[in-house]
Amino acid sequence: QVQLVESGGGLVQPGGSTRLSCAASGSIFRINDMAWYRQAPGKQRELVAAITRILSTNYADSVKGRFTISRDIAKNTVYLQMNSLKREDTAVYYCNADVRVWANPWYSVYWGQGTQVTVSS
């Protein structure tokens, strides 16, 4: 059993910055990829950024150069540093992790509860 708990977000002015955190807990054997997704009203959920266990990263074109994903493997935590925020970044942000628990030989995907990021003046 795994829980992903997100923190951060809230109201941010255009051009501002904020950092999201997501900590996984439970009987975790190993986490492979971790990622951040977002979903704006009326839109499909989209991948924002992903990071592998060996710290390879990829980003959506819309956030490349502005957002940075990172992780602390020992703490089972992934971060999303968001700079130069735009109104179109407004969305609910969800963290995601591909996790193997001790009891199972396979990996399963887990999701955080979501955190609202609103970019507005």
Side-chain angles (χ1 to χ4, degrees):
Q1 301 295 334
V2 176
Q3 288 187 318
L4 273 61
V5 179
E6 301 179 30
S7 60
L11 180 62
V12 188
Q13 293 189 21
S17 298
T18 194
R19 189 175 81 153
L20 307 181
S21 299
C22 174
S25 62
S27 187
I28 297 170
F29 175 75
R30 182 184 290 261
I31 302 176
N32 284 333
D33 295 355
M34 304 186 83
W36 289 95
Y37 290 75
R38 68 186 181 188
Q39 188 164 24
K43 294 187 176 181
Q44 290 187 291
R45 186 193 305 168
E46 64 173 341
L47 177 66
V48 177
I51 184 166
T52 71
R53 190 171 177 84
I54 60 171
L55 307 184
S56 298
T57 59
N58 66 277
Y59 298 90
D61 288 342
S62 60
V63 308
K64 195 170 298 182
R66 300 187 298 120
F67 291 9
T68 302
I69 189 170
S70 61
R71 70 188 290 180
D72 186 328
I73 292 177
K75 294 182 177 180
N76 292 326
T77 299
V78 63
Y79 308 93
L80 186 68
Q81 178 67 45
M82 300 188 290
N83 299 328
S84 302
L85 283 161
K86 304 173 181 179
R87 292 183 184 273
E88 50 262 46
D89 295 318
T90 296
V92 177
Y93 285 72
Y94 299 90
C95 67
N96 168 282
D98 188 25
V99 182
R100 180 188 167 186
V101 299
W102 280 99
N104 298 326
W106 58 78
Y107 287 80
S108 299
V109 173
Y110 294 86
W111 291 90
Q113 79 277 11
T115 185
Q116 178 72 45
V117 175
T118 301
V119 184
S120 177
S121 59

